[in-house]
Amino acid sequence: MDVKIESSWKNVLESEFDREYFLTLSKFVKNEYSSKTIYPPPGFIFHAFWLTPFDKVKVVILGQDPYHGPKQANGLCFAVNKGITLPPSVQNIYKEIESDLGYRAKYPQGDLEEWAKQGVLLLNATLTVEANKAGSHQNKGWENFTDFVIKILSEQKDHLVFILWGNYAKKKGVVIDRKKHLVIESPHPSPFAARTGFFGSKPFSRCNEYLIAKGKEPIDW
């Protein structure tokens, strides 16, 4: 895997690329792309990092796996490519935006790139997946890499907002320094969990209130 990553991220992550786990991961991923159908397309593995440079990050939303259906995954957690039917979780996210902020989501296509360009890092724990096999690239090394991303953000940045939906994201967020950053936790927006506390959790207004209080531009959701 030839790691092409935005320069400000490269500066803080370069040491990880030489670690043994990442070299093993790279070999695995390269072999998977050469022999199977893997999502997202290889040029989009690090798409979240390109759209949201390290020095521009204000908000972090954590996901788990890329979508494993055709033309869905674009390298941003929860997002799907334009023209693709919105997954139920994204539909529920948009419902909560409307309930929380009093307006319909500004970017209804579902690709969420406009969020990313404003400083919302849409980070999956695992950055690749085999077609039609959810979780197929878990425990191959991606989690080590994305744990380091969260750790370095927590250590080197101030006053970020981390939005953790569901138990998986909450566990992954244990390394966050909660004295320096705002952590917003709730159940996952999936149809199985949304009504147990995601709806009504108001993550978008809480996020923007914190950013404004810290002298930062709020996110136009």
Side-chain angles (χ1 to χ4, degrees), residues 59 100-101 161 182 184 201-219 221:
V59 181
D100 184 6
L101 301 177
V161 179
L182 174 65
I184 298 173
S201 62
K202 300 187 179 297
F204 307 102
S205 61
R206 290 163 64 194
C207 171
N208 280 351
E209 286 165 8
Y210 181 82
L211 293 176
I212 292 167
K214 299 302 180 183
K216 299 183 180 185
E217 281 287 317
I219 305 300
W221 302 103

Side-chain angles (χ1 to χ4, degrees), residues 135-155:
S136 51
H137 286 189
Q138 290 177 6
N139 303 314
K140 303 295 184 182
W142 279 128
E143 293 90 345
N144 303 59
F145 177 71
T146 50
D147 280 348
F148 184 77
V149 170
I150 296 164
K151 184 170 178 282
I152 210 80
L153 283 166
S154 177
E155 289 176 353

Side-chain angles (χ1 to χ4, degrees), residues 10-19 21-22 148 152:
K10 189 175 182 180
N11 290 337
V12 296
L13 297 176
E14 202 158 22
S15 63
E16 286 297 286
F17 300 145
D18 294 325
R19 291 186 61 192
Y21 87 84
F22 197 88
F148 184 77
I152 210 80

Side-chain angles (χ1 to χ4, degrees), residues 4-11 49-55:
K4 294 177 181 175
I5 197 164
E6 190 275 333
S7 59
S8 66
W9 277 110
K10 189 175 182 180
N11 290 337
F49 299 89
W50 282 104
L51 290 181
T52 315
F54 181 79
D55 50 7

Side-chain angles (χ1 to χ4, degrees), residues 6-197:
E6 190 275 333
S7 59
S8 66
W9 277 110
K10 189 175 182 180
N11 290 337
V12 296
L13 297 176
E14 202 158 22
S15 63
E16 286 297 286
F17 300 145
D18 294 325
R19 291 186 61 192
E20 187 173 344
Y21 87 84
F22 197 88
L23 297 173
T24 301
L25 169 65
S26 296
K27 188 176 180 181
F28 166 76
V29 170
K30 191 178 292 186
N31 183 62
E32 288 285 287
Y33 272 100
S34 68
S35 59
K36 301 172 184 175
T37 301
I38 306 297
Y39 300 125
F44 286 80
I45 295 173
F46 295 103
H47 195 43
F49 299 89
W50 282 104
L51 290 181
T52 315
F54 181 79
D55 50 7
K56 302 291 186 186
V57 176
K58 295 190 287 189
V59 181
V60 182
I61 298 178
L62 289 182
Q64 191 164 352
D65 266 11
Y67 296 114
H68 53 83
K71 299 181 180 179
Q72 288 183 303
N74 69 354
L76 308 179
C77 75
F78 291 101
V80 289
N81 285 312
K82 289 180 180 177
I84 299 297
T85 301
L86 296 183
S89 290
V90 181
Q91 294 180 36
N92 286 339
I93 288 168
Y94 285 169
K95 286 177 186 175
E96 180 61 17
I97 288 175
E98 187 169 0
S99 170
D100 184 6
L101 301 177
Y103 61 76
R104 302 193 74 175
K106 295 284 184 72
Y107 311 106
Q109 284 282 0
D111 68 341
L112 304 186
E113 286 196 2
E114 294 302 323
W115 292 7
K117 290 173 184 175
Q118 295 178 73
V120 182
L121 181 67
L122 295 160
L123 181 66
N124 273 319
T126 303
L127 301 190
T128 55
V129 70
E130 184 179 346
N132 305 314
K133 292 188 178 180
S136 51
H137 286 189
Q138 290 177 6
N139 303 314
K140 303 295 184 182
W142 279 128
E143 293 90 345
N144 303 59
F145 177 71
T146 50
D147 280 348
F148 184 77
V149 170
I150 296 164
K151 184 170 178 282
I152 210 80
L153 283 166
S154 177
E155 289 176 353
Q156 295 193 15
K157 305 274 288 184
D158 291 313
H159 310 311
L160 299 181
V161 179
F162 289 86
I163 298 177
L164 311 180
W165 289 327
N167 290 329
Y168 185 89
K170 291 176 188 176
K171 289 175 186 172
K172 199 164 179 70
V174 295
V175 298
I176 299 165
D177 183 346
R178 295 170 188 239
K179 294 176 182 174
K180 286 175 62 182
H181 308 288
L182 174 65
V183 177
I184 298 173
E185 297 181 341
S186 80
H188 196 275
S190 74
F192 305 106
R195 298 191 184 280
T196 66

